[in-house]
Amino acid sequence: MRGETSRISDRVSRDSLAPELRNAGEDTWRIGNELFSFTNLLDHNVRIERALTEPSRSAEDKVALLRSLIGDQAHPVTMTILSDLASRQWSRVRDVANGVEDFGVDAMMYYADATGTTLQVSIELAELHSALLGLSVVRSRLYDESVPAQARIDLLHSLLNGKNFNKVTMRLAEHATCNPRKRRYLATIQWMINKFSRHMGESMITVTTAVALTTEQVDKLVTFYTNKLGRAVHINSVVDPSVIGGMRVQVGDEVTDNTVVAQLHKLQRAVKASA
C-alpha cells in the first residue's frame, strides 16, 4: 500500500493534469504506451527511481535527468506528466513508478473515450478476468517473471485466440503480462476494471451462467445491485456452458459462486475429507 504522502502526490498530479491528458484526444494511445514503457524502466532501475524521488535534488535537475533519458522523442504531454511526478514528494522510492503507471492506464481510458469504446473495454477486461478464474496454472505463468516476457505475451495471445478484443483491452492485458510489477495477474486486471468503473461512474457486475440471461433477469440484477451498492451498475453477462447451471457473480474482488460445477467441486472435497 502507498503511504499518505504518495497517495496525495498521485491524486493531486492526476487531478491537475487530467484536463490536459483528456484533451490530447487519440494521442493518448501514444502517451499511454510511453508511460507504460517508462514504468518498466523505473521498475528495473532503482537508481533512476531514487534520483527522481530524492527530496534534496531540485526539480530542474530531475527534469534534466528525464530529458537525458527520453530525449525529444516522447510526446509533450508525457514529458509534462513525468516532470510533474518528479517534482512531488513520495513516501517510498518505488511509488513514483506506481504514479507513472496510474497515468498510463488513465491515458488508455481517455483513448477509449476518444474512440467511443470505454464500456467495451471495461466489459472485455471483465470477460478476461472471468475466463481466467478457473485457470490457476495459466494465471501463474502469466505473472511468472522467471519466464521471458515474450513467452508470457505469446501465452496470453494463445489464450485469447479468436477473441476480437479492442486494442486498448489487449494493450492493458499485455502490460499486465509483460510487467507484472510483483502483482498477481488477476489482481492487476481487477484493478484496471475498478479504474474503468470509477471512470464511468458505475460498478461492473460480472455474472457467469451456462446460458444467456434474459432481459428480465438482467433488469432484476441491475435493480438488486443498484440498491445494494447505492450506485449505478452494469451487468456483464458471460456465458460459460462448463458451469452447467446456477450463477457466479463477481462484484469487485468478491466472487459468489453458486454454479452447479462449483457445488460439485465442493461435494467432492467434502467426500474426500470424510473418506
Side-chain angles (χ1 to χ4, degrees), residues 1-7 91-95 98 183:
M1 296 179 64
R2 304 183 201 186
E4 184 64 19
T5 300
S6 290
R7 286 196 295 271
S91 306
R92 299 175 302 181
V93 168
R94 65 178 179 272
D95 285 348
N98 295 336
R183 295 178 302 222

Side-chain angles (χ1 to χ4, degrees), residues 72-84:
D72 297 323
Q73 303 303 311
H75 192 284
V77 174
T78 302
M79 190 64 193
T80 297
I81 289 170
L82 295 177
S83 299
D84 186 88

Side-chain angles (χ1 to χ4, degrees), residues 80-252:
T80 297
I81 289 170
L82 295 177
S83 299
D84 186 88
L85 291 174
S87 71
R88 300 190 181 278
Q89 299 297 312
W90 301 94
S91 306
R92 299 175 302 181
V93 168
R94 65 178 179 272
D95 285 348
V96 69
N98 295 336
V100 176
E101 184 187 38
D102 267 346
F103 264 113
V105 178
D106 286 349
M108 290 297 170
M109 288 193 298
Y110 286 129
Y111 179 80
D113 288 347
T115 54
T117 58
T118 310
L119 178 58
Q120 177 188 349
V121 172
S122 182
I123 290 172
E124 289 173 351
L125 286 172
E127 289 178 356
L128 174 61
H129 190 284
S130 180
L132 288 170
L133 278 174
L135 302 175
S136 58
V137 174
V138 173
R139 294 200 311 268
S140 65
R141 295 284 288 178
L142 287 174
Y143 66 86
D144 184 355
E145 294 194 73
S146 68
V147 178
Q150 188 57 55
R152 298 198 303 270
I153 291 176
D154 289 344
L155 174 61
L156 174 68
H157 288 174
S158 66
L159 176 68
L160 299 179
N161 184 35
K163 291 276 191 182
N164 190 27
F165 278 169
N166 181 274
K167 74 173 188 176
V168 173
T169 309
M170 288 302 304
R171 184 63 186 94
L172 292 171
E174 288 170 354
H175 170 70
T177 303
C178 65
N179 191 14
R181 312 203 64 232
K182 303 187 185 306
R183 295 178 302 222
R184 293 182 179 273
Y185 193 79
L186 281 189
T188 302
I189 298 301
Q190 185 60 57
W191 169 64
M192 292 174 175
I193 292 170
N194 292 343
K195 280 176 70 70
F196 268 78
S197 294
R198 289 192 298 271
H199 181 67
M200 295 186 297
E202 62 181 17
S203 293
M204 176 70 69
I205 312 295
T206 300
V207 180
T208 303
T209 52
V211 297
L213 296 171
T214 65
T215 301
E216 182 181 3
Q217 288 173 317
V218 171
D219 289 344
K220 286 182 178 179
L221 287 168
V222 167
T223 300
F224 175 79
Y225 282 103
T226 297
N227 292 334
K228 180 179 180 180
L229 301 176
R231 57 183 180 273
V233 303
H234 175 81
I235 301 299
N236 172 40
S237 177
V238 176
V239 177
D240 181 1
S242 69
V243 304
I244 304 176
M247 184 180 294
R248 181 170 65 224
V249 180
Q250 180 172 349
V251 184

Side-chain angles (χ1 to χ4, degrees), residues 17-28:
L17 293 177
E20 188 167 354
L21 186 56
R22 186 186 306 112
N23 291 337
E26 293 192 23
D27 278 3
T28 46

